[in-house]
Amino acid sequence: MMTRLFRDRRHAGEQLARALASYANRDDVLVLALPRGGVPVAFEVANALRAPLDVFLVRKLGAPGYPEFAIGAIAAGGIRILNEDAISDFGISPVMVDQLAARESAELERQDQAYHGNRPTLPPLDNTVIIVDDGLATGSTMEAAVSALRKAGAATIVVAAPVGSSDACHRLRTLAEKVVCLATPEPFQAVGLWYETLDQTADAEVIELLRRARYDRDTPTRSKTR
């Protein structure tokens, strides 16, 4: 019988925070979450580390007819990561890829307005960025995030997730300075299998968690408690 590793995203975030304890109380550390599912996990991490929290906007490109299967991802700054083997296997044309990317770009813009409003995002430049998601299946979304953060000038990039496939974690270790993944069960199959509860995270929850984040999100350094 399969053993569930985490009760929910909050429990997973608490466990992940313990593995990231060496980054606590540092003025150069930012915790960025991949919305929406990564936000409840990252909220626990940021509070435990006493670090600022924000979201980093990335959108998966799902295969037509199989939206949960990532053929790539896009991120802020015009970053596009494509799984050419998967695109070939599914017989997806370049025109269809462009259409998928355009649709997800519109959702990126909507999320940016919903989550940030007129408040600027936290700048990764010269900071240590811990980028968090609730799990790493193909790793395409996180790969796009790492590429975008590198382009934005992050000094150090730490990928953090409670659970992931061994293939995704191995590939991300070639891109980020460090990957912290608490478990890489085999066969992996899907992120949701390793949680007792993994409900959809709503926009309202993301906005509320960003509001509740303990430390000032308007500066790149740790600051006083709200």
Side-chain angles (χ1 to χ4, degrees), residues 17 77 91 97 169 199:
V97 171
C169 293
D199 296 332

Side-chain angles (χ1 to χ4, degrees), residues 3-20 37-45 48 132-134 161-163 182-183 194-198 205 209:
T3 301
R4 308 289 182 174
L5 301 174
F6 310 104
R7 293 191 301 273
D8 53 22
R9 290 185 178 90
R10 178 177 179 179
H11 177 232
E14 292 169 349
Q15 300 296 314
L16 189 59
R18 294 189 180 98
L20 294 164
V39 178
V41 181
F43 177 79
E44 301 298 332
V45 171
V132 179
D133 204 357
D134 56 5
V163 64
L182 301 184
W194 308 104
Y195 286 81
E196 293 179 12
T197 301
L198 197 72
E205 182 178 359
L209 289 175

Side-chain angles (χ1 to χ4, degrees), residues 26-181:
R26 284 175 43 175
D27 288 341
D28 67 325
V29 170
L30 306 178
V31 176
L32 300 182
L34 297 188
R36 294 186 292 258
V39 178
V41 181
F43 177 79
E44 301 298 332
V45 171
N47 277 352
L49 301 187
R50 303 170 69 86
L53 172 68
D54 203 349
V55 292
F56 192 76
L57 300 179
V58 182
R59 293 292 297 177
K60 176 174 67 178
L61 301 180
Y66 302 89
E68 292 305 311
F69 188 91
I71 61 165
I74 60 171
I79 299 297
R80 182 189 293 193
I81 302 295
L82 298 178
N83 183 333
E84 298 292 354
D85 289 339
I87 290 170
S88 177
D89 290 344
F90 278 96
I92 303 170
S93 69
V95 171
M96 177 62 73
V97 171
D98 288 342
Q99 290 174 346
L100 291 170
R103 184 178 66 197
E104 296 304 331
S105 292
E107 177 61 11
L108 274 184
E109 294 178 8
R110 186 200 68 78
Q111 287 185 336
D112 185 37
Q113 181 59 38
Y115 302 154
H116 292 122
N118 295 323
R119 180 179 59 80
T121 59
L122 290 175
L125 182 63
D126 296 333
N127 282 298
T128 294
V129 177
I130 301 174
I131 182 76
V132 179
D133 204 357
D134 56 5
L136 302 170
T138 67
S140 296
T141 306
M142 184 62 79
E143 185 177 347
V146 171
S147 296
L149 287 168
R150 190 73 68 197
K151 183 178 179 180
T156 301
I157 301 172
V158 179
V159 170
V163 64
S165 70
S166 58
D167 286 347
C169 293
H170 176 74
R171 188 172 70 255
L172 286 162
R173 286 189 178 97
T174 68
L175 302 175
E177 278 70 30
K178 187 172 184 178
V179 174
V180 177
C181 189

